[in-house]
Amino acid sequence: MSKKKSQLVDGMTLAEEFKNVNIKNELLAGLTVALALIPESVAFAFVAGVSPILSLQTSVVIGVVAAIFTGRPGMISSSTAAISVVMAALVASHGLEYLFGAVILMGLIQLLIGVLKLGKYARMIPYPVMLGFLNGLSIVIFTSQFELFKLNTTSGREWIQGLDMAIVLALVLLTMGIIQFFPKLTKAIPPSLAGIIILTLIAVSLDNFTGYHLQTVQDFAGMTLKGGLPKFYIPQLPLNLETLQVIFPYAFIAGLVGLTEAVLTLRVIDEMTDTKGNTDKEIVAQGLANLVNGFFGGMGGDAMIGQSIINVKSGGRTRLSAFVAPVVLLLFIMFGSSIINLIPLAALVGVMFMVVVGTFKWESLKYRGKIPKQDIVAMLAVTGITIFSDLATAVIAGVILSALAFAWKKGSEADAQVIDNEDGSRTYKLSGSIFFGSVLNFKDLFTPNQDPEVVIFDFENAKVMDYSGVEAINAMVEKYDLLGKKLLSFKLVVTVETSLKKQTN
């Protein structure tokens, strides 16, 4: 990645950002994302135990604020599954007022992390962890669409059966085919938007001319999706320690989960566009978005990798498309509900399946035997934890696994070449890093009882990396001292801010 491109996104002015921008592509990309956000937001509402309108309005508020203050132009923020899962238990046990309070506190925590510029630690996330995250998230997105293959019945939601399922699957495949091949006909309209429009026309035609009804957004929501402007609201909560004890755990976990997903989404979009966003600025934007959202009665959210990919692939590159998406969503909620309610779920499933195809790192299936086993283990672990637990836990586990694997590998590289000199002394020509991961191996390199009276440690090709390494050397110095043998050192370099307890000559 060139330095010029990094600067172009990271520190550019609004005038620079919108210079040579294709406004039509930005607007159409925003429209496409707005349509794709609808079923996702409705589904997240069911997960969290809130009304669909509340989730849709959350997407509007978070989307607008994050787009204005974003550190990664082109990235989409909304209500998300990750936050919904965290907040569901709070809503069930304490109700909406505590949810709003937790979202406000969540925003403040994220703001603090951004102001302290802790986003730099995101660079510690290894690439195998990124691959595991993307693969796991792809599978989560894929399986989350299964709910759209069910019907509302008196006994709950049940799978579509027989011919109806075959028709739905055929229309999903048709949507995917349109998205894949439509750009070969014209690039004037984003292929995802074209797929949604064509499938909506097919659904309306089938309904009017044959009486065959495809499941729509309205059917999925169980209500006509129509609402108004989000309104400012102060949560009615007692301001005391007991309230803080209730909401803090949820706010803290949701804040970390949200920022983890936002930072990883930022890195994915960076790679897709060959540009560089500002991590700390994006964290502040996410915090502001959730803070404002809490005061407008929202359920909290973060960046959405699926919709961000749709936006970028549809031509969205600036904050304009990210701003248009929530604004158009708001207009749909207020004035275009009749259009929203007609969109067949098959079209939206097809769009998301194409996101899955584009997000999953297929090349990772061929890595066996080509990359270190520890990287494959870390990647698979992150994928599994992302699917069965949550993103933040998966990333933390992946980083820990990668760090331990690195420490083990570097620890096994500590070695010594033994040279018997003409004057009767013995030289240990050391190599590798001496630190907590290698101290046991380091001690096994020497044979004090069999060594001559004068021993030389040659550190020219070795480095002492931490206090554990210093202590390991001290232990050897003391052992040779007890045996009455003289120990010399050569080119000893200690990279920690300490010194040996007993200096060697």
Side-chain angles (χ1 to χ4, degrees), residues 256-278:
L256 292 184
V257 169
L259 291 186
T260 303
E261 189 161 9
V263 169
L264 292 178
T265 301
L266 182 147
R267 287 183 58 175
V268 170
I269 302 305
D270 281 354
E271 290 185 11
M272 288 181 65
T273 59
D274 195 24
T275 55
K276 182 173 175 57
N278 187 318

Side-chain angles (χ1 to χ4, degrees), residues 138-320:
S138 298
I139 295 171
V140 170
I141 293 174
F142 178 75
T143 55
S144 68
Q145 303 309 303
F146 293 169
E147 191 65 25
L148 304 187
F149 288 96
K150 297 179 180 179
L151 295 171
N152 288 322
T153 66
T154 54
S155 57
R157 291 188 61 79
E158 297 182 357
W159 288 95
I160 301 172
Q161 301 293 323
L163 180 61
D164 291 336
M165 177 63 85
I167 293 174
V168 170
L169 290 174
L171 292 175
V172 169
L173 292 174
L174 175 60
T175 305
M176 296 174 71
I178 293 171
I179 295 172
Q180 179 67 29
F181 298 108
F182 192 81
K184 295 182 179 180
L185 298 177
T186 177
K187 295 184 179 179
I189 302 176
S192 297
L193 178 59
I196 292 172
I197 292 173
I198 293 172
L199 263 290
T200 301
L201 292 175
I202 291 175
V204 172
S205 299
L206 285 173
D207 208 346
N208 291 336
F209 296 113
T210 69
Y212 186 83
H213 180 73
L214 289 168
Q215 289 293 299
T216 64
V217 170
Q218 179 175 340
D219 297 324
F220 179 64
M223 59 183 290
T224 299
L225 294 179
K226 187 172 183 180
L229 286 169
K231 297 179 180 179
F232 184 80
Y233 179 77
I234 298 177
Q236 304 301 303
L237 288 173
L239 299 178
N240 53 39
L241 184 59
E242 183 179 350
T243 299
L244 183 62
Q245 288 175 335
V246 171
I247 66 175
F248 180 79
Y250 296 96
F252 183 73
I253 294 172
L256 292 184
V257 169
L259 291 186
T260 303
E261 189 161 9
V263 169
L264 292 178
T265 301
L266 182 147
R267 287 183 58 175
V268 170
I269 302 305
D270 281 354
E271 290 185 11
M272 288 181 65
T273 59
D274 195 24
T275 55
K276 182 173 175 57
N278 187 318
T279 303
D280 290 315
K281 187 176 179 182
E282 183 58 39
I283 291 174
V284 169
Q286 294 291 325
L288 281 172
N290 279 302
L291 179 63
V292 174
N293 180 46
F295 282 112
F296 278 85
M299 58 184 278
D302 57 71
M304 297 193 72
I305 188 167
Q307 277 65 23
S308 296
I309 290 174
I310 291 174
N311 184 47
V312 171
K313 289 190 173 181
S314 299
R317 291 292 185 277
T318 70
R319 69 190 71 222
L320 178 59

Side-chain angles (χ1 to χ4, degrees), residues 434-451:
I434 305 170
F435 67 114
F436 72 90
S438 64
V439 290
L440 292 178
N441 186 44
F442 171 77
K443 292 177 180 179
D444 291 338
L445 297 175
F446 310 103
T447 55
N449 292 322
Q450 287 78 42
D451 284 342

